[in-house]
Structure formats: structure tokens, C-alpha cells
């Protein structure tokens, strides 16, 4: 079982390079940085967690790819993930090159956690038609995979389209970096099974999580995919249920997860304020515990 660490990177979250070094030295398998490019001053969409109020630090997040580049330059093994990247709010060609370039310079350590976004006002500020964001995201993923694997790539979708182009470098990972969907609900399960390399939900209960993974694998087989090739990551709230125990990790493993990321809204707030290294040390026993679970 692998343990990842997710932090909110801001101008006040401390020395990111040192945080990445510490995460790697303590044995964390992956480091994850979330994304919100902008937060509108006026918004009516409620925050989908807790009391519906958006935590203030969400307005101050740095670009995840810049943050992960910093981490890549001072580490050798730890994987570098976006958790999550709002793909529909980005341009396809530039994003494909950005991801491939990071994968090149990190020697194949990039994981893309991706979502379509929940904040309508943000999407619209960035020129995205909110009701079409899922279609745009699927087409972006399909198009980027063509760009990453073809010397001359073209794509013709309903929303994303471009003529034959050359787009280098290619990713070190073959055929390309994995893209994990961060989303929930029946439609999300179908989207994972049809298009994505994996799933990284916020887990409410192990029972629900296990049932959802079973459904994803069944749907993947129906789509002609190898169900066991889909990577499953569980994001769990240690503030709600406590730091996972040996038995908890085994239950996540038995439910289908190969990676657990402890994360809560309080952890996000604290990491944004410079406490990420304290969190890494506090959770370090979990990393050691997970090593015994295969």
C-alpha cells in the first residue's frame, strides 16, 4: 500500500522544495498539489463540503505544475500528482506540452488527478461553458493522448479540435502519464470505466467505496478494458475517523485501493499556512505501517 501526501501550496505554505525533500525522505510515495486558477469575487455556488463556505486559502493556491516542477528538481523517486487539476479550464495543446515536459524532467513521475470543476463562476470566468465541461474534459484527455503518442497529431471533437501538429517532448512514461478522475456519483463511475486510467474519490465509507470500485471494474469490462488496469486511490479524512490503522489500510486494499491519501479540509487550511512539514512528520508512522500491506 502506498501513502500519498496532499497539500495546499500557497505563498505562505513554506519552503516547498524542503517539503518535497522531507516527503521523499520519510517514504511517501507521492506528493499532490490541487488547483483553482481563479476564485471569482462574486459567487453563488456553495462550497460542496461542510457548511458551504469556501475556505479563504482556496483563493491563494499556486499553479500546481509550477509547484510540482519545484518538487521535481529536488527529488528523485517521489511521484508528482495534481490533486486535482481542472482540465476543462486549461487549453489542450499547451497543457499536453506542459505535462509531457514535467514528465520528461521528473524522469516519468507525473500523475494527473483531474476533475471538471464544481465552481460555475470560475469556469465561466475562464471561458468554459459550465454545462459542457465534462464533454470538454473527455475530449481534452483523448486529444492529449494523441499528442503524447503520435509524431503528427490531429483531433476533431465537438469542442476540442486542431489540425495535424507536432508536439514534443513526449512523456517518459509509456504510453503516457496516468490520468485519474476525481469525481463522485454514478456518472463519475461510468466516466472512469470508459475513459480514465484511475479514480481518486473522497471516501465517505469503505463499504460505499468498495461497491463503487466493483461497479467501475464491471463497467470497464463492458467497455472492453482490463478492469484490473484501473488505478484506485482513496482520499480519506483522518480528522473524521482518525489516522488509518493497519486494519483500515487492509480494508481499503481489499476494496481495491493501491494508494491512500490522508486529507481533510483542516489539513488543507493548515498546510496553506505553513504546517505541511509538521503534517508529514505526524503521518510518517502511517507510511511505515503501509509498507507491510501488499
Amino acid at each position: 500500500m502506498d501513502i500519498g501526501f496532499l497539500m495546499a501550496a500557497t505563498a505562505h505554505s513554506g519552503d516547498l522544495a524542503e517539503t518535497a525533500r522531507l516527503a521523499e525522505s520519510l517514504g511517501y510515495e507521492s506528493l499532490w498539489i490541487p488547483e483553482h486558477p481563479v476564485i471569482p469575487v462574486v459567487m453563488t455556488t456553495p462550497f460542496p463540503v461542510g457548511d458551504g463556505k469556501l475556505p479563504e486559502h482556496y483563493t491563494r493556491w499556486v499553479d500546481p505544475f509550477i509547484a510540482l516542477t519545484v518538487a521535481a528538481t529536488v527529488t528523485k523517486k517521489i511521484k508528482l500528482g495534481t490533486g486535482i487539476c481542472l482540465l476543462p479550464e486549461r487549453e489542450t495543446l499547451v497543457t499536453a506540452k506542459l505535462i509531457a515536459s514535467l514528465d520528461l524532467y521528473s524522469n516519468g513521475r507525473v500523475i494527473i488527478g483531474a476533475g471538471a470543476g464544481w465552481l460555475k463562476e470560475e469556469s465561466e470566468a475562464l471561458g468554459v461553458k459550465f454545462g459542457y465541461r465534462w464533454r470538454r474534459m473527455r475530449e481534452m484527455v483523448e486529444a492529449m493522448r494523441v499528442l503524447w503518442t503520435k509524431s503528427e497529431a490531429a483531433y476533431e471533437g465537438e469542442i476540442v479540435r486542431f489540425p495535424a501538429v507536432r508536439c514534443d517532448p513526449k512523456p517518459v512514461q509509456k504510453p503516457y502519464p496516468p490520468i485519474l478522475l476525481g469525481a463522485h456519483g454514478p456518472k463519475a463511475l461510468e466516466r472512469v470505466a470508459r475513459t480514465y486510467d484511475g479514480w481518486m474519490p473522497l471516501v465517505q465509507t469503505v463499504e460505499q467505496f468498495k461497491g463503487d470500485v466493483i461497479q467501475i471494474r464491471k463497467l470497464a469490462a463492458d467497455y472492453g478494458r482490463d478492469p484490473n488496469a484501473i488505478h484506485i486511490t482513496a482520499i480519506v479524512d483522518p480528522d473524521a475517523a482518525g489516522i488509518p490503522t493497519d486494519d483500515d489500510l487492509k480494508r481499503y486494499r481489499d476494496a481495491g485501493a493501491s494508494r491512500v491519501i490522508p486529507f481533510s479540509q483542516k489539513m488543507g487550511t493548515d498546510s496553506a499556512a505553513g504546517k505541511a512539514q509538521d503534517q508529514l512528520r505526524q503521518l510518517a508512522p502511517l507510511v511505515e505501517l503501509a509498507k507491510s500491506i501488499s
Side-chain angles (χ1 to χ4, degrees), residues 180-214:
L180 282 57
L181 181 64
H184 305 84
K187 288 186 178 180
L189 305 185
E190 184 175 354
R191 288 172 176 131
V192 173
R194 179 185 59 196
T195 302
Y196 296 89
D197 301 302
W199 187 42
M200 52 181 305
L202 298 166
V203 175
Q204 301 301 317
T205 68
V206 176
E207 293 74 21
Q208 178 68 45
F209 175 63
K210 183 175 183 178
D212 288 344
V213 172
I214 290 172

Side-chain angles (χ1 to χ4, degrees), residues 90-140:
R90 290 177 168 267
E91 196 279 328
T92 304
L93 294 163
V94 173
T95 303
K97 179 178 281 286
L98 178 63
I99 293 170
S101 298
L102 179 56
D103 201 57
L104 172 68
Y105 285 122
S106 67
N107 195 28
R109 292 187 279 148
V110 174
I111 308 169
I112 301 300
W118 56 269
L119 183 48
K120 180 180 179 181
E121 291 87 350
E122 176 186 25
S123 295
E124 292 178 345
L126 290 159
V128 177
K129 293 182 179 179
F130 191 70
Y132 290 89
R133 69 195 188 284
W134 284 108
R135 180 181 298 175
R136 175 175 173 80
M137 181 167 165
R138 176 176 56 79
E139 291 186 6
M140 280 189 69

Side-chain angles (χ1 to χ4, degrees), residues 229-251:
I230 295 178
H231 307 281
I232 305 294
T233 293
I235 304 175
V236 302
D237 185 344
D239 292 334
I243 295 175
T245 64
D246 178 82
D247 287 341
D248 291 332
L249 291 178
K250 289 177 179 176
R251 283 194 287 269

Side-chain angles (χ1 to χ4, degrees), residues 166-185:
R166 296 186 180 91
C167 185
D168 287 306
K170 303 303 182 193
V172 170
Q173 297 179 79
K174 302 303 178 189
Y176 35 69
I179 302 176
L180 282 57
L181 181 64
H184 305 84

